[in-house]
Amino acid sequence: MAGAASGSAAITLERTEAPVILPLLTFVAPLQTSSGNGLSMLVLQMAGIGLVFYFLILRPSGQARKRHAELLTRLKKGDEVMTSGGIIGKVRDIKEVDTNGAKEVRVTVESGTASVVVERSRIVRVGDSTAVAPQA
């Protein structure tokens, strides 16, 4: 009877572990038995990763690029700007220059007593965008 009792305890123990392992086996078993199911699972996983990559990385960077391009097209004399080098000043002049067949827009920025000529694409901020908006 002692052997039967220990045998039934082992069976009971296996039954309590089975519900934990069973869901794991349902995902692994199709991958091992047939290549068609495994391939479809792989395609679904790659599609999911691709969607996450698109919505978390590609789409927001494209929108930011579009906003920056729009910001640069609205640039005018007297705007306060910050360059990618960290120079903060006011736009004094905007000129279109033809360099080796390529047209570039150059912006003259006055910062204190100095004037710096930079390409329009090197301007990272227009106005004081770091100001805190008033709360309603």
Side-chain angles (χ1 to χ4, degrees):
M1 279 221 192
S6 65
S8 65
I11 292 172
T12 307
L13 183 63
E14 288 175 10
R15 286 183 183 163
T16 57
E17 289 179 4
V20 174
I21 296 173
L22 189 61
L24 295 174
L25 291 177
T26 57
F27 289 115
V28 175
L31 294 175
Q32 294 174 350
T33 56
S34 67
S35 62
N37 261 348
L39 185 61
S40 64
M41 270 305 249
L42 179 66
V43 168
L44 284 174
Q45 289 174 350
M46 294 306 273
I49 291 170
L51 286 172
V52 167
F53 183 76
Y54 173 76
F55 282 109
L56 291 180
I57 297 172
L58 294 178
R59 188 167 183 248
S61 67
Q63 289 175 341
R65 198 175 321 117
K66 189 185 232 182
R67 275 184 272 137
H68 186 252
E70 181 182 324
L71 181 90
L72 293 179
T73 57
R74 290 186 281 128
L75 188 66
K76 61 186 179 303
K77 287 174 96 173
D79 284 346
E80 187 171 320
V81 296
M82 184 171 95
T83 66
S84 59
I87 298 171
I88 299 174
K90 290 193 176 194
V91 175
R92 187 177 72 183
D93 192 25
I94 302 172
K95 289 183 184 177
E96 190 169 312
V97 179
D98 193 16
T99 309
N100 296 333
K103 291 186 178 182
E104 295 178 354
V105 178
R106 302 251 171 111
V107 179
T108 305
V109 177
E110 274 186 349
S111 177
T113 59
S115 292
V116 181
V117 178
V118 295
E119 293 178 5
R120 184 173 62 179
S121 62
R122 300 295 177 209
I123 293 175
V124 294
R125 189 179 74 195
V126 176
D128 189 21
S129 63
T130 59
V132 178
Q135 294 186 5

